[in-house]
Amino acid sequence: MNNNKIWLSAPHISGNEKKYIDEAFETNWISSIGSNLTFFEEKLEKYLGESKHVSALNTGTAAIHLGLILLGVKLGDEVLCQTMTFSASANPIIYQGGIPVFIDSEPETWNICPKALEVAIKDRISKGKKPKVIIAVHIYGIPYKIEEVRAIADQYQIPILEDSAEALGSSYRGQKCGTFGDISVISFNGSKIITTSGGGVIVTKSKELKDKAIFLATQAKEKAHYYQHNEIGYNYRMSNVSAGIGRGQLQVLDDYVCLRREVHDFYYDLFQGIKGVNVFTVLNDDYFSNYWLTTILVNPKETGGITNEQIKLELDKENIECRLLWKPLHTQPVFKEYPYYGTNISEKLFENGLCLPSSSNLDDFDKERIKQALLNFFE
Ligand SMILES: *Cc1c(COP(=O)(O)O)cnc(C)c1O
């Protein structure tokens, strides 16, 4: 058997991408304007539904940054942010000169805890500072508690920036993730469920906001016969070449969701027979996950002392990539000084959790290698 590296989440080319890239080259539209961009945005708008508008940008991080700008975050403003997430959810708060206030997870979806969120909002208001935005994330493609978080946001009149970077193809009660925020964001980084080689979109409720996002993403050039700038701009637009990759990838999105879910089933069956390891799964039928990454929780008291980290190291030896969960941001040196509300649920998840290789192009040989490595270790 070969020993090629099995990646945690690899790009998966369908074959259609090349056609759209070639089209961009043949028509000489290889920059920030072109039909791939138009098609990519339109197809995604159709896929998401809910009359949403999509602006294509060069990264998901840029989309979060512009989202915060559109929601009015300025110097000194506080932004509530889920602590268990990738750093890119929170970095743009700092780009804006804002102050992140981190919120713990709840154990059922691992996402922002509605109780801790409300405690934080009340406390920040009592301190004289009402938070400007709530950043809620669907980590690993599992929807956050949509209804509870929305109820709190509405009660206190604070908009939600929905970080759906990992959750394209997931849904809650039939509505697609990426449509629940006042502003939403999706990533097409190489590790995500589909890719544009690098890219993201900002999802908004109106054509005006879509145009405003593209205006800001293309250096905020006012309509004039010369370069006129009334506000600060950014160079964040997606290229028409990248959008060509995205156009091809969107055609296979539903297939890739099925494939990732099959990977999840594979692990679910595999760990049925292993005591002390639980495959993380959605709470009930309201939640539909793309299972971007399949994750497990390891309880060393039941595994005979085997920990998440030992499993990772064991699979490393077999050239199989695994990662621990997102390390809660309030425990990161770079964010240490900022407020945090919660009961350390995210830290306990981090202590015991592990992400397993979940690529949509994981083949039967790969699965067999992973299975043998795990079974040998647990025997
Ligand atoms: C990947 C990711 C981002 C950033 O997206 P990029 O396209 O890589 O900039 C933001 N938030 C979360 C939760 C992510 O997983």
Side-chain angles (χ1 to χ4, degrees), residues 208-259:
E208 288 69 39
L209 280 171
K210 168 181 174 148
D211 293 342
K212 177 84 194 206
I214 294 172
F215 168 79
L216 291 173
T218 51
Q219 308 286 23
K221 295 187 282 261
E222 300 290 338
K223 281 201 178 70
H225 300 301
Y226 39 83
Y227 284 100
Q228 171 75 18
H229 301 282
N230 300 343
E231 51 195 306
I232 294 295
Y234 301 85
N235 193 357
Y236 281 173
R237 187 65 162 145
M238 183 183 281
S239 95
N240 194 51
V241 177
S242 297
I245 300 175
R247 227 177 130 183
Q249 291 265 289
L250 266 184
Q251 295 172 345
V252 289
L253 172 58
D254 285 336
D255 299 336
Y256 288 7
V257 171
C258 286
L259 289 166

Side-chain angles (χ1 to χ4, degrees), residues 55-339:
S55 320
L57 305 177
N58 56 11
T59 61
T61 310
I64 296 172
H65 189 191
L66 290 190
L68 292 177
I69 292 171
L70 292 175
L71 293 171
V73 173
K74 295 196 175 74
L75 185 68
D77 285 340
E78 293 193 351
V79 176
L80 302 158
C81 182
Q82 181 167 328
T83 189
M84 176 155 260
T85 182
F86 183 43
S87 62
S89 300
N91 283 336
I93 304 169
I94 309 292
Y95 303 165
Q96 276 308 95
I99 299 162
V101 174
F102 292 110
I103 312 294
D104 202 6
S105 300
E106 39 78 17
E108 291 179 332
T109 76
W110 297 4
N111 294 309
I112 195 164
C113 171
K115 282 195 202 112
L117 176 64
E118 189 164 22
V119 169
I121 293 172
K122 283 184 172 156
D123 190 53
R124 300 324 288 177
I125 291 175
S126 80
K127 290 187 161 71
K129 211 139 193 219
K130 185 175 159 182
K132 261 285 173 68
V133 173
I134 299 165
I135 300 179
V137 190
H138 312 290
I139 55 164
Y140 306 124
I142 295 197
Y144 61 75
K145 296 240 166 160
I146 300 289
E147 289 171 59
E148 289 88 336
V149 175
R150 174 47 71 190
I152 293 168
D154 287 351
Q155 187 186 341
Y156 294 93
Q157 302 264 303
I158 304 173
I160 297 173
L161 195 157
E162 177 195 11
D163 181 346
S164 193
E166 303 172 4
L168 180 61
S170 298
S171 55
Y172 178 76
R173 292 194 162 191
Q175 185 178 333
K176 292 269 170 12
C177 288
T179 65
F180 291 105
D182 294 273
I183 284 189
S184 307
V185 159
I186 300 167
S187 167
F188 301 98
N189 180 283
S191 69
K192 300 301 187 332
I193 188 152
I194 60 167
T195 186
T196 57
S197 80
V201 295
I202 185 162
V203 183
T204 56
K205 287 175 177 169
S206 70
K207 178 77 166 60
E208 288 69 39
L209 280 171
K210 168 181 174 148
D211 293 342
K212 177 84 194 206
I214 294 172
F215 168 79
L216 291 173
T218 51
Q219 308 286 23
K221 295 187 282 261
E222 300 290 338
K223 281 201 178 70
H225 300 301
Y226 39 83
Y227 284 100
Q228 171 75 18
H229 301 282
N230 300 343
E231 51 195 306
I232 294 295
Y234 301 85
N235 193 357
Y236 281 173
R237 187 65 162 145
M238 183 183 281
S239 95
N240 194 51
V241 177
S242 297
I245 300 175
R247 227 177 130 183
Q249 291 265 289
L250 266 184
Q251 295 172 345
V252 289
L253 172 58
D254 285 336
D255 299 336
Y256 288 7
V257 171
C258 286
L259 289 166
R260 296 246 177 192
R261 287 172 59 83
E262 277 174 30
V263 170
H264 183 267
D265 288 345
F266 157 74
Y267 286 117
Y268 189 85
D269 293 341
L270 175 57
F271 284 108
Q272 281 297 332
I274 298 177
K275 214 167 156 254
V277 180
N278 282 306
V279 174
F280 187 46
T281 300
V282 295
L283 189 55
N284 58 44
D285 287 347
D286 287 341
Y287 294 83
F288 179 87
S289 178
N290 65 6
Y291 288 125
W292 170 59
L293 294 185
T294 294
T295 56
I296 53 173
L297 279 182
V298 183
N299 181 353
K301 285 196 195 105
E302 291 180 16
T303 56
I306 292 175
T307 65
N308 57 340
E309 223 160 347
Q310 285 170 346
I311 298 173
K312 183 203 178 309
L313 292 173
E314 193 62 26
L315 291 173
D316 275 353
K317 281 190 220 155
E318 304 291 333
N319 213 15
I320 299 167
E321 187 184 28
C322 291
R323 291 256 176 92
L324 300 193
L325 303 190
W326 298 128
K327 186 178 176 205
L329 295 184
H330 73 278
T331 67
Q332 296 281 8
V334 72
F335 293 122
K336 238 183 170 140
E337 66 194 275
Y338 299 108

